[in-house]
Amino acid sequence: MKGDLALHAYCLLLDLEALHWCLAILVASQLQKLDLALPLYAETLKLMKAKLGPEHPNNLINLNSLGKAYCDSNQGEKAAAKFKEFVAGQRERSKPVES
């Protein structure tokens, strides 16, 4: 319970995109309502890509969260698509920077 209160307080300090993400986590983990969490994860990813750009590393975190939520809700094809996108992004980030 103490950790939940800290997360709630942290969420209040964040912007709209991060708030969507926090709500999705709370809904999925605390209430076990993936049908409600999935749209929040998807909207968060959309907002973050628009705000930060598609290549931002935080988008990978959101992709992974969305993929896990799809997996947990037995939507394997959607999960696989998000995990593939996540892996491609990770590979792109790990490439050596050319000078």
Side-chain angles (χ1 to χ4, degrees):
M1 183 70 174
K2 188 175 183 181
D4 291 341
L5 293 176
L7 180 58
H8 289 292
Y10 179 69
C11 287
L12 293 174
L13 301 174
L14 301 174
D15 57 18
L16 179 60
E17 294 84 4
L19 185 57
H20 270 97
W21 187 75
C22 286
L23 286 172
I25 290 172
L26 288 171
V27 168
S29 64
Q30 300 299 316
L31 302 177
Q32 298 296 310
K33 297 283 188 178
L34 288 172
D35 57 323
L36 298 175
L38 282 168
L40 290 170
Y41 280 124
E43 181 67 14
T44 300
L45 181 59
K46 179 181 160 188
L47 290 169
M48 294 297 280
K49 281 184 175 181
K51 182 175 183 176
L52 301 174
E55 303 302 320
H56 196 278
N58 285 357
N59 292 327
L60 294 176
I61 295 167
N62 291 322
L63 268 172
N64 191 47
S65 296
L66 182 55
K68 184 179 181 325
Y70 279 135
C71 190
D72 290 345
S73 66
N74 297 316
Q75 296 183 46
E77 288 183 25
K78 289 181 179 180
K82 294 306 171 193
F83 288 139
K84 284 180 185 177
E85 193 176 345
F86 171 78
V87 169
Q90 286 289 74
R91 285 185 178 147
E92 189 63 33
R93 287 195 66 225
S94 66
K95 286 183 181 176
V97 177
E98 296 179 16
S99 316

